[in-house]
Amino acid sequence: MASGARNGGAGGLGSRTSSKMDRQQGSNATPKAVAGKPRLSAAGGGGGGAYRRTSSGPLPSAGGGGGRNSSDSGVSSRVRVAVRLRPRNAEEQAADADFADCVELQPELKRLKLRKNNWESDTFEFDEVLTEFSSQKRVYEVVAKPVVESVLEGYNGTIMAYGQTGTGKTFTLGRLGDEDTAARGIMVRAMEDILADIKPETDTISLSYLQLYMEMIQDLLDPVNDNIAIVEDPRTGDVSLPGATVVEVRDQKSFMDLLRIGEAHRVAANTKLNTESSRSHAILMVNVRRAVKGRNEMDVSMSAENGHSSSMMGSLRPPIVRKSKLVVVDLAGSERIDKSGSEGHTLEEAKSINLSLSSLGKCINALAESSAHVPVRDSKLTRLLKDSFGGTARTSLVVTIGPSPRHRGETTSTIMFGQRAMKVQNMVKLKEEFDYKSLCRRLDIELDKLIAENERQRKYFDDEVERITTEAQCRVAEAERECKIALENEKMKYHQEYLDSIKILEEKWKVHQQSPKKQVKKEPTSSGDVQDLLQNEKMLRQSAEDDSNDLRNQLSHWKKMEATATAEVVKLRRMLDTEASQKDKLEEEIAVLKSQLMQLSLDADETRMSLDTGDGPGKIFPGLDSLMSHTRSSQPREQSNGPKAPVAKLFEQVGLQKILSLLESEEPDVRVHAVKVVANLAAEEANQEKIVEAGGLTSLLMLLRSSEDETIRRVAAGAIANLAMNETNQDLIMAQGGVTLLSMTASDAEDPQTLRMVAGAIANLCGNGT
């Protein structure tokens, strides 16, 4: 049988070389990026998911349609590798007392000597060499802290421990330090630094805790979710786990509680090499989302200097966020079957562990040798670590070894794995995205303000238009009246002057007839007077026409103002009509959602009524016990493969708290459907504790006390009967006076079905005493 150390060593060691050749290899163990050399990137689409070489030019943004990367080309970064030596345990001190350690550390030179025999040894160089006396704080500072700082700056990061079983990988990474705070591992210390650096009002942190057990990804925070699928983006090649539980973390205490829950669910076994040997790869994924401040303000000020509207830029430019991910991987230890003594199921676990570590070693070999094909799809472990080796994450690896010469083969395999990993180059990228959701919320608020301001301005504008229109009409009427009076006066004046002129001319003509000579002498004077009179009459007429034109111009000006005001009113009315249509669409969507909720409730009610045939006082539904037992036995299979019931879909989509809040609705139909949904949810044991913790039991008892609708009281009694099947819930029902309320409901009931529900609830309560 092949040894676990060889599988863990990623493809075998090959022929051993001399000390000189090993020293040359150690000097070349920290390769640098060569200008113009092709880099390795994930190949999207075909090719079996393998990597392929591409040019070093800019890459497309991995942020989707709304995302952006500040540096698409990325920065080359080599995988950093540190080696940590475990001190001898009690068994090794007794068995190997007469033998020297198989390794010799030179931490000041960052070198490690692996003894072949008493006179020959191989020398290897690493980025850090940690002795058996190195503290947990020292290990964190040299291995993990640079990666954590990069994650806080917006880069992805990976911290991984690799080594033989029993060499201290879980101690290095996952030690909680409950008894001794100095023994805290990398996970706890990394989260302390992250929480200390973020701002809760603008930044968020969420995490998932998983284990890869027997090639199945299981959720350590939700053990029922035991077969999570890996989803790969066909465009960018990024992998994700949409089925994993994601919990938002606000403080260190909640994080420690989540770690304890995950550690309690992790698979471990007792072997000859380790009393608590991890039988799965543990993966902690921490997602950090940070808001970038200062850049938007700079852009707004620059646009203002260029003549653009700063207020418009500030309102339409979305805020920028940086999204990064820290992945901490505690690999299960490689082991030789003959040394670990594994057998039966433990043997199958060891085979699965060695197979996945062998696949990881093959990928490291291919990346270190710049191979055109990297077998990343050979194992789920390599698919999950696709971004950590040859991807865009900043990766730090700590390899753990033991001093015992009995395990020199496993120690050699671990050291060679670290040497190959040091040759892997990653292209670290800073991921910045526009926060369109935040912009949408801000624009919604601005829209509400603008709508309110628009309504206020519209009212003011309507009042102002009405006032101006009234004033204009009054002025126009006054001007027309004055113009008419002035024209009449001028007409009468000119007519009177005309008559006077005629009279004067007639008198002069008579005088001229009586004295011709005298008239001949005065004829020029009379002709001049007539011309003066005509000239005066023309001037007066011209003045009257000018006044009339002025009045007409004023009337035209007021009419133009009235037309402009009318156009503004029409524009505002169109805007209001648009807002009203959007409001109607939202109301239609709300009505559709309500109808879907009622339909799901009706379907659940029909299912409940079809099961209810009344076979005994102690059961609400005939065959409920057998149905529940069948449900329990088939629950894992249904959760992993089968479709979910409508009520379960409603429970997942809407949430228990929202469903319970509908019990207090003012609409009777909504309240009836809500209590039916709660009753159907209470029939599942997995939901009973959640319903009680969310206050569902108190709400059901309140409905029995206050509701006058017998349908509501009947369904509420059935829900209480389902909850009473749990002994813990029986005590809570008794303590809150549930028996008294059920008795009152039975005394007021007119429907035999209600009496059956109440009798079943009381029978389940009495079952605790019997």
Side-chain angles (χ1 to χ4, degrees):
M1 182 171 295
S3 69
R6 290 178 181 172
N7 289 335
L13 299 177
S15 62
R16 298 181 179 179
T17 58
S18 65
S19 301
K20 181 177 179 180
M21 294 180 67
D22 290 332
R23 285 195 295 271
Q24 292 176 354
Q25 181 183 5
S27 64
N28 297 328
T30 56
K32 296 182 179 179
V34 180
K37 181 179 180 180
R39 64 181 179 84
L40 298 176
S41 64
Y51 289 83
R52 67 183 180 206
R53 282 186 280 187
T54 60
S55 64
S56 58
L59 297 178
S61 171
R68 57 186 289 270
N69 287 344
S70 61
S71 178
D72 289 339
S73 60
V75 178
S76 178
S77 174
R78 179 178 59 80
V79 175
R80 291 180 54 83
V81 181
V83 60
R84 187 181 191 185
L85 177 63
R86 172 183 60 77
R88 287 193 175 191
N89 54 32
E91 180 184 355
E92 291 172 346
Q93 289 177 357
D96 302 333
D98 298 333
F99 300 94
D101 292 346
C102 66
V103 293
E104 178 185 351
L105 303 184
Q106 297 177 340
E108 64 280 357
L109 299 177
K110 298 182 180 179
R111 290 180 180 175
L112 178 148
K113 287 187 176 180
L114 179 63
R115 292 190 178 93
K116 293 183 178 180
N117 45 48
N118 293 333
W119 57 88
E120 187 179 4
S121 63
D122 296 334
T123 303
F124 303 94
E125 291 185 357
F126 289 92
D127 294 306
E128 292 291 340
V129 175
L130 303 169
T131 67
E132 64 269 30
F133 305 108
S134 298
S135 64
Q136 291 281 75
K137 181 179 180 181
R138 168 68 176 165
V139 174
Y140 171 74
E141 288 178 350
V142 300
V143 174
K145 192 167 185 178
V147 178
V148 174
E149 291 175 350
S150 297
V151 171
L152 291 173
E153 292 174 358
Y155 299 92
N156 291 340
T158 301
I159 305 168
M160 188 171 69
Y162 178 92
Q164 181 191 7
T165 181
T167 54
K169 298 182 297 302
T170 303
F171 178 84
T172 301
L173 293 181
R175 185 78 172 185
L176 299 182
D178 292 333
E179 299 82 5
D180 183 8
T181 56
R184 290 169 299 162
I186 288 177
M187 288 183 182
V188 178
R189 295 177 185 270
M191 185 56 68
E192 287 177 352
D193 286 353
I194 292 175
L195 290 173
D197 192 74
I198 67 165
K199 297 180 180 179
E201 59 272 10
T202 58
D203 306 336
T204 59
I205 295 179
S206 60
L207 63 85
S208 300
Y209 200 12
L210 313 167
Q211 72 173 355
L212 180 59
Y213 176 70
M214 301 289 287
E215 280 302 303
M216 289 193 303
I217 302 176
Q218 300 176 355
D219 198 333
L220 291 176
L221 302 180
D222 185 11
V224 178
N225 193 7
D226 58 357
N227 192 9
I228 301 174
I230 299 177
V231 178
E232 184 172 350
D233 190 337
R235 187 175 64 86
T236 63
D238 295 339
V239 295
S240 60
L241 302 171
T245 300
V246 181
V247 181
E248 186 171 345
V249 178
R250 291 291 182 179
D251 51 37
Q252 187 70 12
K253 181 179 180 301
S254 61
F255 171 71
M256 295 294 289
D257 294 338
L258 292 174
L259 279 187
R260 291 187 183 94
I261 293 173
E263 289 299 324
H265 295 147
R266 190 176 178 187
V267 181
N270 184 4
T271 65
K272 293 181 180 180
L273 297 178
N274 191 356
T275 57
E276 294 183 2
S277 176
S278 300
R279 315 309 292 172
S280 64
H281 307 300
I283 304 172
L284 176 67
M285 295 183 177
V286 181
N287 298 293
V288 182
R289 183 180 182 275
R290 309 194 69 182
V292 180
K293 294 185 178 180
R295 187 174 300 179
N296 282 351
E297 290 78 358
M298 185 183 301
D299 295 341
V300 172
S301 62
M302 292 177 62
S303 63
E305 292 177 0
N306 294 332
H308 299 287
S309 173
S310 61
S311 61
M312 180 64 69
M313 292 292 293
S315 60
L316 295 182
R317 182 178 295 276
I320 299 174
V321 295
R322 288 179 178 175
K323 293 183 178 179
S324 56
K325 180 171 67 175
L326 173 64
V327 180
V328 183
V329 184
D330 181 11
L331 294 175
S334 59
E335 61 184 45
R336 288 180 181 267
I337 306 303
D338 55 350
K339 290 185 178 181
S340 64
S342 300
E343 58 184 10
H345 186 68
T346 307
L347 176 61
E348 297 299 324
E349 294 174 341
K351 290 180 180 179
S352 177
I353 292 171
N354 290 339
L355 181 61
S356 61
L357 292 177
S358 177
S359 299
L360 177 61
K362 291 178 182 178
C363 291
I364 297 296
N365 287 343
L367 291 170
E369 296 171 0
S370 299
S371 175
H373 174 76
V374 180
V376 70
R377 288 188 174 273
D378 288 356
S379 171
K380 289 186 178 180
L381 177 63
T382 54
R383 293 185 67 189
L384 291 175
L385 298 179
K386 182 179 180 180
D387 192 50
S388 303
F389 293 97
T392 62
R394 191 182 301 277
T395 302
S396 183
L397 171 66
V398 54
V399 293
T400 58
I401 59 176
S404 175
R406 292 180 298 161
H407 305 304
R408 194 176 67 84
E410 290 83 347
T411 301
T412 303
S413 177
T414 301
I415 292 173
M416 295 305 297
F417 179 87
Q419 289 289 296
R420 293 186 182 94
M422 292 177 66
K423 298 179 182 180
V424 178
Q425 293 283 341
N426 293 348
M427 297 300 293
V428 181
K429 294 182 180 181
L430 177 66
K431 185 177 181 182
E432 292 183 346
E433 296 181 356
F434 289 127
D435 190 2
Y436 287 104
K437 292 183 179 179
S438 177
L439 175 63
C440 183
R441 289 192 298 270
R442 189 173 67 188
L443 291 179
D444 287 338
I445 296 173
E446 291 293 332
L447 180 60
D448 294 337
K449 291 181 180 179
L450 290 176
I451 291 174
E453 181 67 20
N454 183 27
E455 291 177 353
R456 185 172 66 255
Q457 290 184 358
R458 177 181 177 180
K459 186 177 182 304
Y460 171 78
F461 184 77
D462 291 341
D463 296 340
E464 191 69 15
V465 167
E466 185 177 357
R467 184 185 64 81
I468 293 174
T469 302
T470 304
E471 183 178 353
Q473 290 176 354
C474 294
R475 289 185 179 181
V476 169
E478 182 67 20
E480 290 178 351
R481 187 176 62 81
E482 291 179 355
C483 181
K484 184 176 180 180
I485 293 174
L487 290 175
E488 290 292 335
N489 292 335
E490 291 294 328
K491 182 178 179 181
M492 292 177 64
K493 179 181 177 182
Y494 293 151
H495 183 69
Q496 186 64 35
E497 289 178 354
Y498 174 76
L499 294 177
D500 294 340
S501 299
I502 294 298
K503 289 182 180 179
I504 292 170
L505 290 174
E506 288 178 353
E507 290 176 355
K508 288 182 178 180
W509 183 77
K510 289 180 180 180
V511 172
H512 178 72
Q513 290 292 334
Q514 292 177 1
S515 53
K517 295 181 180 180
K518 186 176 180 179
Q519 184 177 4
V520 170
K521 292 180 181 180
K522 294 182 179 179
E523 188 174 0
T525 302
S526 300
S527 177
D529 292 340
V530 172
Q531 289 180 357
D532 291 339
L533 290 173
L534 291 175
Q535 188 66 27
N536 290 335
E537 183 177 359
K538 289 180 180 180
M539 293 175 63
L540 291 173
R541 184 180 294 276
Q542 185 66 33
S543 176
E545 290 179 356
D546 292 340
D547 293 339
S548 177
N549 291 332
D550 290 339
L551 292 175
R552 288 191 182 95
N553 291 333
Q554 291 182 6
L555 179 62
S556 176
H557 175 68
W558 287 112
K559 288 183 178 180
K560 289 180 180 180
M561 289 182 63
E562 182 179 4
T564 302
T566 303
E568 291 292 335
V569 171
V570 172
K571 183 178 179 181
L572 290 175
R573 286 177 179 172
R574 290 177 180 175
M575 292 175 63
L576 288 176
D577 293 339
T578 303
E579 295 296 333
S581 63
Q582 294 180 356
K583 181 179 179 183
D584 293 339
K585 290 180 180 179
L586 291 176
E587 289 178 352
E588 290 177 0
E589 292 179 0
I590 291 172
V592 171
L593 291 176
K594 286 184 176 180
S595 64
Q596 292 178 355
L597 175 61
M598 294 180 66
Q599 182 62 37
L600 289 174
S601 177
L602 290 175
D603 293 341
D605 186 45
E606 289 178 0
T607 304
R608 184 185 183 93
M609 294 300 293
S610 64
L611 294 175
D612 188 5
T613 58
D615 288 338
K619 298 182 180 180
I620 301 306
F621 304 107
L624 181 59
D625 291 336
S626 61
L627 180 60
M628 290 300 295
S629 62
H630 176 69
T631 303
R632 296 190 194 100
S633 63
S634 61
Q635 184 176 1
R637 186 182 308 154
E638 292 175 355
Q639 291 178 347
S640 60
N641 299 323
K644 298 183 178 179
V647 177
K649 290 183 179 178
L650 177 64
F651 176 61
E652 292 180 357
Q653 295 174 359
V654 179
L656 179 59
Q657 202 62 39
K658 292 184 179 180
I659 295 175
L660 293 178
S661 63
L662 294 177
L663 295 177
E664 301 176 0
S665 174
E666 297 179 356
E667 298 182 9
D669 293 339
V670 174
R671 194 161 58 248
V672 169
H673 293 307
V675 73
K676 290 180 180 179
V677 173
V678 173
N680 282 275
L681 289 174
E684 298 287 342
E685 288 186 358
N687 300 331
Q688 291 178 2
E689 183 178 353
K690 297 178 182 179
I691 293 173
V692 173
E693 290 178 355
L697 177 59
T698 305
S699 300
L700 292 172
L701 293 175
M702 184 62 67
L703 287 176
L704 287 181
R705 182 181 293 107
S706 60
S707 178
E708 296 180 357
D709 190 340
E710 187 165 355
T711 301
I712 293 177
R713 289 186 293 178
R714 180 176 67 251
V715 180
I720 293 172
N722 290 334
L723 294 176
M725 296 176 68
N726 189 312
E727 293 183 2
T728 304
N729 297 338
Q730 291 174 2
D731 296 336
L732 293 175
I733 295 172
M734 299 287 288
Q736 297 183 23
V739 176
T740 304
L741 293 174
L742 290 171
S743 300
M744 295 174 59
T745 302
S747 62
D748 297 338
E750 297 179 358
D751 188 355
Q753 186 69 15
T754 304
L755 294 176
R756 292 178 58 199
M757 293 292 180
V758 173
I762 295 175
N764 288 340
L765 289 174
C766 293
N768 188 20
T770 59

